[in-house]
Amino acid sequence: MIRPVFEPEVLPVEATGAGLPGVAAHRLTPAGLRERFAQRLVWAPEPFEVLSPERGDPRAAAVLVPLIVREAGLSVLLTQRADHLSDHAGQISFPGGRREPSDPDAVATALREAHEEVALAPERVEVLGALPDYLTGTGFCVTPVVGLVHSPFTVSADTLEVADIFEVPLSYLMNPANHEVRLWRWEGGERRFFAMPYPRPAAGGQYFIWGATAGMLRNFYRFLAA
């Protein structure tokens, strides 16, 4: 079934996570995150969209969830993809991409892609672990690799892939009150997805974080709140 094109930003908000428990403040620190990834607590990730059978087997991919260590607290580095790309054009995403045959594992893919897309040096990243694989409706099985990014470091966009680089406080993204469930109905059915709009401090408007990126952030919240 071919779905019609839609504009996610104008779709109605069905619910938010305002009634859900928050994440303890100490878990949003480098020490708290190291401790949490070292544990083996039982928790349930959010269900993801089922892949259409006609797409075949999902393609392996990985993203880096880069947590920037700042004096004011941790922030999440995100990118806005270039408008001309064939996959997820113009969307907010983590640095990442398809796994190459030369990549020994998902960590290698995530670090390589982050270096290629935003020139983040792999040696500045302290890898903490990975969240559960996330299956996208476009046919990718994505491993989210979480890492702390330590100073000194610099980033620079590969303009062929990345239109913008920005940061959002981790505390904002891990606050379930900022998690929206948006509803899309069309003649052939309906779909619900997470969105986490974040105001642009200087330019006005907002960064509209949604889809797979918001879904992986929601899993990160579930992981930390468990």
Side-chain angles (χ1 to χ4, degrees):
M1 183 192 313
I2 298 177
R3 296 176 179 177
V5 176
F6 72 105
E7 296 181 52
E9 295 184 51
V10 303
L11 293 174
V13 177
E14 185 180 61
T16 71
L20 295 174
V23 176
H26 79 276
R27 284 198 174 163
L28 302 180
T29 66
L33 287 168
R34 293 186 191 103
E35 178 185 79
R36 182 65 188 87
F37 273 95
Q39 296 172 332
R40 292 292 182 266
L41 298 182
V42 177
W43 64 286
E46 297 285 343
F48 41 64
E49 186 176 5
V50 177
L51 187 65
S52 300
E54 59 267 22
R55 288 192 180 273
D57 293 333
R59 293 158 287 179
V63 297
L64 180 65
V65 183
L67 307 179
I68 312 298
V69 180
R70 304 283 190 195
E71 287 188 11
L74 294 173
S75 63
V76 182
L77 184 145
L78 292 160
T79 70
Q80 184 165 21
R81 293 171 61 81
D83 288 333
H84 65 267
L85 295 176
S86 58
D87 293 313
H88 311 294
Q91 293 186 16
I92 304 300
S93 67
F94 300 113
R98 303 182 191 189
R99 183 172 178 178
E100 299 292 344
S102 58
D103 295 333
D105 53 27
V107 171
T109 300
L111 294 177
R112 175 183 56 76
E113 287 282 346
H115 187 252
E116 292 176 0
E117 290 184 10
V118 299
L120 179 61
E123 60 268 22
R124 307 313 305 162
V125 181
E126 176 191 348
V127 175
L128 299 175
L131 298 171
D133 289 348
Y134 190 95
L135 188 64
T136 74
T138 52
F140 289 93
C141 182
V142 183
T143 302
V145 176
V146 182
L148 297 170
V149 180
H150 297 279
S151 296
F153 73 94
T154 59
V155 292
S156 177
D158 174 359
T159 55
L160 293 177
E161 296 190 51
V162 177
D164 193 11
I165 303 171
F166 63 99
E167 296 179 30
V168 179
L170 180 62
S171 58
Y172 181 92
L173 294 171
M174 293 299 101
N175 182 349
N178 297 323
H179 299 179
E180 300 174 350
V181 177
R182 301 243 177 171
L183 175 61
W184 174 32
R185 286 196 176 100
W186 75 100
E187 189 175 344
E190 62 180 32
R191 174 192 173 191
R192 289 169 176 81
F193 60 87
F194 286 107
M196 302 171 188
Y198 180 69
R200 294 176 185 257
Q206 63 184 10
Y207 290 106
F208 194 73
I209 306 165
W210 72 286
T213 301
M216 287 182 269
L217 285 167
R218 175 70 167 200
N219 277 345
F220 198 12
Y221 158 74
R222 290 285 191 189
F223 172 70
L224 294 180

